[in-house]
Amino acid sequence: MTQPIIGDAFGEMIRDAWAVHTGIGPRPLAGGRWPRPVIEVIERDDGLINGAPAGHYLSEPSDWRPFDHRAVGLCRGRVLDIGTGAGRAAIELQNREIAVTGLDTSLGAIEVARRRGVRDTVLATVDEFSRASVRYDTFLLLGNNLGLLESPERAPVLLDALSRLAAPGARIVAQGTDPYGTTDPLHVAYHRANRDRGRLGGQLRLRLRYREVATDWFDYLNCSVAELKGLLAGTRWRLQSIDDRDHPYYLAVMELNV
Amino acid sequence: MTQPIIGDAFGEMIRDAWAVHTGIGPRPLAGGRWPRPVIEVIERDDGLINGAPAGHYLSEPSDWRPFDHRAVGLCRGRVLDIGTGAGRAAIELQNREIAVTGLDTSLGAIEVARRRGVRDTVLATVDEFSRASVRYDTFLLLGNNLGLLESPERAPVLLDALSRLAAPGARIVAQGTDPYGTTDPLHVAYHRANRDRGRLGGQLRLRLRYREVATDWFDYLNCSVAELKGLLAGTRWRLQSIDDRDHPYYLAVMELNV
């Protein structure tokens, strides 16, 4: 089998999802005739594959999960929306007159976010952007993007980059998932295999695929609150609060040490 | 990356889709909390991947595409529903008091079809079943299952097996797709690459994936009507009619030569 092309799979998917949503521009069709739903395909390195409709990246606040609303309510001052995607949170913050920058590494996503009205966007990694002179009061990581901590090796590097972008008193508002409540043998075995090779149990190795395009493989971290505390040790950030009313999903607020 | 397990990916998917549909039994959940849509993932050997919601396998006639209704209307006598899946067509035929056998190679699909009320089912390939002493008046291949002709090498073998199961005057009612109307460069290049290696342009090399399970790779044929005529030459079947009102989809009726 030919391997997929490495590229902006997420952006290609968001572009198509937006075209379907608006009815404008070329849209995916089955047989050139019937609309084809836009599906995000996620592969895990143990052979697991999952598909999920991409529409939630374009969802209105009325369709959000409850913790998304509470996360937006925790934003204050100038906000950096990390992994802004199609900009659903950034648009809501703008509507609330909150200054927000939408950051993403996907060109396709940034283009759609801009077309949807996100005024301030950055196409960069956090590391690249951390050399900028701008400072933020809130770093928002919605859509399970606490996972961008990736690994015990990567987490302190990302957290350090955020501290360089942080105004005094800044906070991180991040949505995570505790992976360890599951009894699904597939996931339990994956967590064990991860630990056997020196990784955190929920340190997922993933890639996204859309049509002929795939991302490179990347780590994405589902960690427990106890693991998160461990990752914060020795960094400039401390855990200020956990909201786990929608367990296993949670919101973590981290504050800059003074 | 670990390869998926080879198994009844289609059946696992149909079982989950049925559990979601009925609300009975274990259902796929995200984080053990929110329902996870059941998505069929299809990989092509050029690296293309597509996901599609699996619900259509359980669809009621009111949600069918127009050619499905016309195909069922072309059934007469005793019907063999080849690739019955979750039995949507077999159930409709039963409701019309038409005798039907649902055949599938997927154990999971057959189990769901039976639970949904399909009375006569067979878990076998057409080749295996062709040694049975029963005879049919109509062979129904819905859901694009003209594709089961697979290849110029396989088509006469399958058609010969059907002729062994055929009552005098039997017909095949099959839904196919003409692949050559597309201008999508990805598909056009695939057709060309196929021809370069001596295959029909629309001779797709596919596998299904669902969670940790995949099928083996198999050929699935999207052919033009002209190509279908070529495949029938030298067999006991002749093309009786083509209904292409929903181009590029079409219904082909083939009749047994006397």
Side-chain angles (χ1 to χ4, degrees):
Chain A
M1 185 209 147
T2 306
Q3 285 298 308
I5 299 161
I6 303 301
D8 185 12
F10 184 77
E12 296 289 317
M13 177 192 75
I14 291 290
R15 275 199 199 97
D16 273 0
W18 178 237
V20 168
H21 187 81
T22 58
I24 297 168
R27 274 151 282 163
L29 296 170
R33 188 172 181 96
W34 278 289
R36 180 189 284 285
V38 179
I39 303 287
E40 179 173 35
V41 173
I42 306 179
E43 262 187 307
R44 201 168 69 180
D45 65 344
D46 61 342
L48 176 69
I49 201 158
N50 272 312
H56 67 89
Y57 288 107
L58 298 163
S59 62
E60 299 296 325
S62 55
D63 296 318
W64 288 3
R65 292 185 170 171
F67 49 70
D68 285 337
H69 292 280
R70 299 200 298 274
V72 166
L74 288 164
C75 291
R76 57 183 193 197
R78 190 162 186 175
V79 178
L80 183 64
D81 180 25
I82 298 174
T84 194
R88 65 181 177 95
I91 291 164
E92 174 63 11
L93 288 165
Q94 284 183 180
N95 288 342
R96 297 185 185 196
E97 310 288 337
I98 294 172
V100 57
T101 301
L103 178 140
D104 213 291
T105 59
S106 161
L107 174 61
I110 288 288
E111 286 177 353
V112 171
R114 292 195 70 86
R115 270 183 280 159
R116 294 180 78 207
V118 179
R119 289 187 289 269
D120 185 22
T121 57
V122 175
L123 176 66
T125 64
V126 169
D127 309 68
E128 290 161 352
F129 189 54
S130 71
R131 292 189 287 268
S133 59
V134 63
R135 295 290 174 270
Y136 292 92
D137 302 291
T138 304
F139 301 98
L140 181 62
L141 295 99
L142 275 194
N144 210 39
N145 269 342
L146 183 62
L148 295 177
L149 292 179
E150 293 187 20
S151 67
E153 297 71 36
R154 168 69 182 152
V157 178
L158 180 72
L159 291 165
D160 191 52
L162 293 183
S163 69
R164 290 198 295 278
L165 288 164
R171 48 169 48 178
I172 300 169
V173 177
Q175 187 253 307
T177 303
D178 182 339
Y180 303 122
T182 183
T183 56
D184 186 326
L186 190 65
H187 297 316
V188 171
Y190 187 76
H191 298 160
R192 191 185 315 116
N194 254 343
R195 289 196 191 93
D196 287 349
R197 46 180 177 157
R199 296 161 62 88
L200 290 180
Q203 193 177 327
L204 312 181
R205 188 86 183 151
L206 305 176
R207 65 172 178 177
L208 305 185
R209 294 180 65 178
Y210 185 71
R211 285 177 44 94
E212 77 276 30
V213 187
T215 65
D216 275 319
W217 290 92
F218 58 90
D219 279 351
Y220 198 72
L221 183 62
N222 283 348
C223 63
S224 67
V225 173
E227 288 172 334
L228 176 60
K229 282 178 185 161
L231 295 171
L232 292 174
T235 76
R236 294 189 56 200
W237 299 91
R238 66 167 182 277
L239 191 61
Q240 190 262 334
S241 69
I242 291 287
D243 164 356
D244 64 354
R245 279 182 274 172
D246 296 303
H247 183 81
Y249 307 107
Y250 61 85
L251 293 176
V253 178
M254 292 153 270
E255 287 188 338
L256 200 62
N257 286 319
V258 285
Chain B
M1 184 210 148
T2 306
Q3 284 299 309
I5 299 160
I6 303 301
D8 185 12
F10 184 76
E12 297 286 320
M13 177 193 76
I14 291 290
R15 276 200 198 95
D16 273 0
W18 178 236
V20 167
H21 187 81
T22 58
I24 298 168
R27 273 152 283 163
L29 297 169
R33 188 174 181 97
W34 277 288
R36 180 190 285 283
V38 179
I39 302 288
E40 180 173 35
V41 173
I42 305 178
E43 262 186 307
R44 200 169 67 181
D45 66 344
D46 61 341
L48 176 69
I49 201 158
N50 270 313
H56 67 93
Y57 288 107
L58 298 163
S59 62
E60 301 295 325
S62 54
D63 295 320
W64 288 2
R65 291 185 171 172
F67 49 71
D68 286 338
H69 292 280
R70 300 200 298 273
V72 165
L74 289 164
C75 292
R76 59 182 191 196
R78 191 163 184 175
V79 179
L80 183 64
D81 180 26
I82 298 174
T84 194
R88 66 182 176 95
I91 292 164
E92 173 63 9
L93 288 166
Q94 286 183 177
N95 289 342
R96 297 186 186 196
E97 311 287 340
I98 295 172
V100 58
T101 301
L103 179 140
D104 212 291
T105 59
S106 161
L107 174 60
I110 288 289
E111 286 178 354
V112 171
R114 292 194 70 86
R115 271 183 278 159
R116 295 180 78 205
V118 179
R119 289 188 291 270
D120 185 21
T121 57
V122 175
L123 175 66
T125 64
V126 169
D127 310 68
E128 290 160 353
F129 189 53
S130 71
R131 293 188 287 268
S133 59
V134 64
R135 295 290 174 268
Y136 291 93
D137 303 292
T138 304
F139 302 98
L140 181 62
L141 295 100
L142 275 194
N144 211 39
N145 269 342
L146 184 63
L148 296 177
L149 291 179
E150 294 186 17
S151 66
E153 297 72 35
R154 168 68 182 153
V157 179
L158 180 71
L159 292 165
D160 191 51
L162 293 184
S163 68
R164 290 197 295 278
L165 288 163
R171 49 168 50 176
I172 301 169
V173 177
Q175 187 252 306
T177 304
D178 182 340
Y180 304 122
T182 184
T183 57
D184 185 326
L186 190 64
H187 297 316
V188 171
Y190 188 76
H191 298 160
R192 191 185 316 114
N194 255 343
R195 289 198 191 92
D196 287 349
R197 46 182 180 156
R199 296 160 62 87
L200 290 180
Q203 193 178 328
L204 312 181
R205 188 85 183 151
L206 305 176
R207 65 173 178 176
L208 305 186
R209 295 181 65 178
Y210 185 71
R211 285 177 43 94
E212 76 276 31
V213 187
T215 65
D216 275 319
W217 290 93
F218 58 91
D219 278 351
Y220 198 72
L221 183 62
N222 283 347
C223 63
S224 68
V225 173
E227 287 172 333
L228 175 61
K229 283 178 185 162
L231 295 171
L232 292 175
T235 76
R236 296 189 56 201
W237 300 90
R238 67 167 182 278
L239 190 61
Q240 190 263 333
S241 69
I242 290 288
D243 164 356
D244 63 354
R245 277 182 275 172
D246 296 305
H247 183 82
Y249 307 108
Y250 61 85
L251 293 177
V253 178
M254 292 153 271
E255 287 188 337
L256 201 59
N257 286 320
V258 285

